[in-house]
Amino acid sequence: MRDAGESPLAAVHPATVHPDEVDTGEIEAALGSADPLVRQRACKVCETLVEEDVESVRPLGSEIGGLLHDRSAAVVQTALSVLTTLAATEPVVLESCLDDLVSVTETELNGVKLESARCLAALTLEKPGACVPHVPALVQTVVDAEGVEAIDDCAETVTDPSTRQTIREHNLREYQDGENARELLANVVAAAVESAPSELHDETPSFTKLLSDENPVVVDAGLTALSMVAQDDPTAVAVDDALVDCLGHDARSVRARAIETFGYLGSDTVVPTLRRVADDDPDEDVAALAAVTADFLDS
């Protein structure tokens, strides 16, 4: 038991703490402390506890999630580490801090964005409908982050070759983290739409924005979202140039998904285009799918 006036968890060794050695109330008090060092200690304690006993950390999901917005980068990183472990072991616990996880995906720190996206993806696998209310925000995050490339301007001003290479490698990792995060978030959107397409008819214009993305994984997710809505109500999806352009996409998976989407839409206006795809597509399977779909729509 700590002395009066002593900081919460002051007598605890974060790296070796056992669930029986500390109570939830003291951890909660430390997580809410005005002192960032105390908050960081609390996160470190949770990081150790969650590896041994998820139940000891389960009641603190909301408090840990709130620290994703902390002014201390160390606190944010450790809080995210705890949530990532929860995502791997019992992702439904993350529902208590879902708003925080979605919000922090808007950060410019791609490493944080990626870990948050991984948490959301894990939760979505377990409970696909959890992110349905957040679909508009997630789509906007994916769109806003498009084209943020690795920056090596600083590297160009460095004369030492080794240092310059290190900077470039760091920038490349940042870029890759950002793209991986965008892919995960786009797939979270697709899974959410699949779980509740009737609730997301009004979002089809935002899904269409994904079709012009440079990343084929994002485009594929946008098409999946549109096809799910089209299966629920074909009139909710407009046949526009962005959708038609996907029939000529470089990625085979995108062309195939676009053909499937047109099949669900049931519009015979694209039959001539599908006939051309059937004749010209370099992939035999895609060409065959286009032919079958054109016949279906023309019948």
Side-chain angles (χ1 to χ4, degrees):
M1 187 171 180
R2 61 189 175 92
D3 297 332
E6 186 179 33
S7 296
L9 305 178
V12 172
H13 296 286
T16 59
V17 65
H18 187 273
D20 295 336
E21 298 173 352
V22 62
D23 64 72
T24 301
E26 188 172 5
I27 300 175
E28 187 173 1
L31 290 170
S33 171
D35 186 340
L37 294 178
V38 176
R39 298 196 301 274
Q40 172 69 346
R41 174 178 284 269
C43 287
K44 286 290 187 183
V45 166
C46 291
E47 192 174 34
T48 299
L49 293 178
V50 75
E51 294 285 355
E52 297 185 35
D53 179 22
V54 171
E55 290 301 318
S56 65
V57 180
R58 175 192 285 271
L60 300 166
S62 177
E63 288 77 9
I64 296 169
L67 293 179
L68 294 178
H69 309 284
D70 202 275
R71 287 175 295 178
S72 166
V75 171
V76 172
Q77 290 289 352
T78 311
L80 196 52
S81 173
V82 176
L83 295 176
T84 300
T85 301
L86 284 173
T89 55
E90 198 167 348
V92 291
V93 176
L94 300 178
E95 278 196 279
S96 63
C97 59
L98 180 54
D99 290 351
D100 295 304
L101 282 168
V102 171
S103 177
V104 83
T105 61
E106 299 173 7
T107 181
E108 295 181 359
L109 301 174
N110 285 343
V112 172
K113 186 193 295 285
L114 177 57
E115 289 306 311
S116 300
R118 284 172 174 160
C119 288
L120 291 172
L123 174 59
T124 298
L125 282 173
E126 191 77 13
K127 195 171 182 180
C131 287
V132 168
H134 298 283
V135 162
L138 293 174
V139 171
Q140 195 60 51
T141 294
V142 173
V143 171
D144 288 346
E146 182 188 9
V148 179
E149 299 181 353
I151 301 173
D152 62 1
D153 291 347
C154 292
E156 296 301 327
T157 64
V158 176
T159 56
D160 179 66
S162 177
T163 303
R164 186 165 58 245
Q165 182 62 24
T166 298
I167 293 173
R168 285 175 172 165
E169 289 175 356
H170 168 77
N171 289 336
L172 180 59
R173 283 195 301 271
E174 274 287 298
Y175 171 71
Q176 290 173 335
D177 283 351
E179 283 303 290
N180 289 338
R182 294 177 68 246
E183 291 176 2
L184 283 171
L185 294 175
N187 284 324
V188 166
V189 167
V193 177
E194 185 175 5
S195 73
S198 61
E199 297 180 30
L200 294 162
H201 287 187
D202 292 343
E203 296 304 318
T204 54
S206 65
F207 302 150
T208 301
K209 292 179 183 178
L210 301 178
L211 305 188
S212 58
D213 200 279
E214 294 181 359
N215 189 324
V217 175
V218 173
V219 178
D220 194 90
L223 287 168
T224 299
L226 288 171
S227 68
M228 292 299 107
V229 173
Q231 288 181 66
D232 186 66
D233 180 5
T235 65
V237 179
V239 178
D240 59 12
D241 291 343
L243 188 52
V244 174
D245 287 346
C246 288
L247 294 171
H249 199 280
D250 290 340
R252 174 198 177 281
S253 61
V254 169
R255 301 197 304 275
R257 183 75 70 184
I259 294 168
E260 291 176 354
T261 304
F262 280 118
Y264 293 129
L265 286 173
S267 173
D268 60 4
T269 60
V270 295
V271 168
T273 304
L274 289 174
R275 297 287 187 204
R276 286 195 295 272
V277 173
D279 291 337
D280 301 336
D281 198 281
D283 187 284
E284 291 183 2
D285 291 336
V286 173
L289 179 61
V292 170
T293 304
D295 289 342
F296 168 73
L297 295 175
D298 204 25
S299 60

